[in-house]
Amino acid sequence: MKFDINRIIRSNIRALRPYSTARDEFKGTASIYLDANENPFASAFNRYPDPKQNALKQAISQLKGVGPEQIILGNGSDEVIDLLIRAFCEPGVDNIIVPQPTYGMYGVCADINNIKIRQPLLTFDFEIDLQPIYECVDPKSKIIFLCSPNNPSGNLLNRDKIKSLIQSFSGLVVMDEAYIDFADSVGFLPFLDDYPNLVVLQTFSKAWGLAGLRLGVGYGSEEVIQILTKIKPPYNINSITQQKIKEAIDNGKQTQDWIGILKQERKELETAIKQLLFVVKVYPSQANFLLVKMKDAKACYQYLLTKGIIARDRSSTVLCDNCIRISIGTPDENKILINALNDYQNTNP
Ligand SMILES: *Cc1c(COP(=O)(O)O)cnc(C)c1O
């Protein structure tokens, strides 16, 4: 299907003239800045951050092999999710499609913006089920959100099914790849130029270990990125974040080392947890967590709490009966976890 951005953009957004900052209007360097009502006295942070985030985008562009004009930076990927919904979904009229179970923020952002959410189910092993998705699509469907590797299940979604969805849908398909660094797949960035209606989300919050800095990245066609850039808050990425993320990229080997350790730990933790008698199933994971089905997830969750270990109880999530989600910790933390799970087994025969 031919993608036409004019079919999906909200008319007020198309007509919007964005706020122009002092630094948008003056390009170049000067010796005296009297244009932005900043406090002139010396301080590391008296100046507004670069609203275009040029240096940081350049670094991310080189890291990922995607042009800077195809990149939008958000205060966490959560901000990019919100921008997507606000740019393309008309409150009270449009809908998004979010196959379940998955990350909760797509639905929350839609609720905040009064956008209807259609929630077809994934299969029992959390794979894409095309038919129920197609049945949800109508002319008011603007975005399909997919998460791969999926949270909370950990699996990568089937590549061919994703491609057929992208090709047949006349709105945007957003692939949330928050966990792609832990997967044996490069994800969908290589297909960006094939599909003008594909948006890929990644983040520095997980593998990069920088959740506190809040940096999410959206990749898409130039026309989509232009619209999101037009509506973002001008100074959405603060100076420290712009600087520290750039340093982390320059020091990328550290991240690769962490990923290697966490993948090894994931494998060992999976093996150890599978041996526990109260464990029904450990779902195969391509992320930095494991979804574990148990005989009594709430009891195990409570037991871990008494040991000071907090997992995520997912047992009231659809298709996740009696499941808890456990993030992969350091080797020491994982040993303590396994000991606690063994104690739980011994006290609950
Ligand atoms: C953790 C997570 C994010 C986090 O995004 P931020 O960049 O920290 O806002 C996004 N998507 C999914 C699926 C996640 O699990």
Side-chain angles (χ1 to χ4, degrees):
M1 189 168 301
K2 174 114 177 50
F3 175 65
D4 176 9
I5 200 159
N6 290 314
R7 185 192 82 81
I8 64 165
I9 188 172
R10 292 170 64 199
S11 51
N12 62 312
I13 300 295
R14 185 182 335 174
L16 179 78
R17 278 186 59 236
Y19 180 72
S20 182
T21 72
R23 300 291 143 78
D24 284 325
E25 286 170 15
F26 173 78
K27 301 177 177 71
T29 41
S31 48
I32 302 180
Y33 286 96
L34 303 177
D35 58 345
N37 299 345
E38 295 152 333
N39 182 323
F41 296 107
S43 137
F45 302 112
N46 66 328
R47 299 296 172 192
Y48 279 102
D50 175 7
K52 297 207 163 78
Q53 303 128 4
N54 278 326
L56 179 54
K57 272 192 192 166
Q58 204 59 51
I60 293 174
S61 166
Q62 277 176 18
L63 178 73
K64 296 290 178 177
V66 175
E69 68 290 345
Q70 290 184 281
I71 296 175
I72 169 100
L73 302 183
N75 191 314
S77 9
D78 290 349
E79 184 177 44
V80 186
I81 294 167
D82 187 59
L83 292 174
L84 283 161
I85 289 178
R86 285 194 286 136
F88 299 110
C89 301
E90 192 64 34
V93 175
D94 289 334
N95 67 74
I96 63 168
I97 296 173
V98 188
Q100 298 291 329
T102 192
Y103 187 52
M105 273 309 285
Y106 322 123
V108 172
C109 281
D111 278 340
I112 292 170
N113 290 293
N114 193 21
I115 304 304
K116 290 186 196 68
I117 311 154
R118 301 196 167 163
Q119 308 184 79
L121 289 183
L122 296 168
T123 65
F124 283 103
D125 51 3
F126 305 109
E127 186 50 83
I128 293 186
D129 199 355
L130 286 175
Q131 196 52 38
I133 297 177
Y134 289 138
E135 283 166 14
C136 286
V137 173
D138 71 13
K140 303 292 184 196
S141 304
K142 297 298 185 69
I143 306 177
I144 299 174
F145 282 95
L146 300 172
C147 184
S148 178
N150 188 41
N151 179 2
S153 53
N155 58 301
L156 278 167
L157 300 177
N158 180 281
R159 172 176 298 235
D160 293 333
K161 290 186 178 173
I162 295 170
K163 285 187 180 173
S164 39
L165 259 189
I166 298 173
Q167 283 166 341
S168 58
F169 184 52
S170 65
L172 295 178
V173 174
V174 176
M175 295 292 308
D176 186 340
E177 297 186 337
Y179 300 98
I180 198 69
D181 302 296
F182 302 105
D184 305 318
S185 160
V186 290
F188 268 73
L189 283 187
F191 303 108
L192 224 45
D193 292 336
D194 298 341
Y195 305 119
N197 62 331
L198 169 65
V199 172
V200 175
L201 303 181
Q202 296 184 357
T203 179
F204 282 81
S205 295
K206 306 288 159 60
W208 288 82
L210 297 169
L213 290 178
R214 311 302 302 125
L215 191 78
V217 189
Y219 304 89
S221 56
E222 213 175 323
E223 54 180 357
V224 169
I225 295 301
Q226 253 172 20
I227 291 162
L228 299 177
T229 304
K230 192 164 94 159
I231 68 169
K232 82 174 178 64
Y235 301 115
N236 62 331
I237 312 298
N238 73 68
S239 310
I240 301 185
T241 299
Q242 293 196 37
Q243 181 191 328
K244 292 289 172 191
I245 298 277
K246 206 174 158 297
E247 283 172 25
I249 291 171
D250 293 341
N251 184 25
K253 185 178 175 305
Q254 169 76 87
T255 300
Q256 290 312 313
D257 291 349
W258 284 332
I259 293 169
I261 296 170
L262 290 167
K263 285 167 88 166
Q264 179 62 28
E265 288 292 308
R266 175 176 77 200
K267 201 161 116 195
E268 291 175 20
L269 211 52
E270 181 184 3
T271 307
I273 293 177
K274 274 183 171 161
Q275 284 162 12
L276 298 161
L277 299 174
F278 63 88
V279 165
V280 177
K281 179 165 187 168
V282 181
Y283 290 91
S285 173
Q286 292 275 296
N288 66 334
F289 55 81
L290 294 170
L291 187 71
V292 183
K293 193 185 271 301
M294 310 178 159
K295 288 183 181 153
D296 187 346
K298 288 214 181 303
C300 180
Y301 173 82
Q302 287 299 333
Y303 181 85
L304 289 175
L305 264 190
T306 66
K307 299 281 173 176
I309 300 171
I310 310 176
R312 192 88 196 263
D313 180 4
R314 298 278 75 178
S315 53
S316 33
T317 302
V318 65
L319 299 183
C320 298
D321 289 349
N322 269 314
C323 287
I324 66 177
R325 193 194 70 194
I326 306 175
S327 305
I328 313 293
T330 65
D332 283 348
E333 289 171 338
N334 299 332
K335 279 194 196 88
I336 296 170
L337 169 73
I338 289 298
N339 286 339
L341 290 171
N342 275 308
D343 291 347
Y344 172 71
Q345 174 169 277
N346 295 334
T347 53
N348 293 269

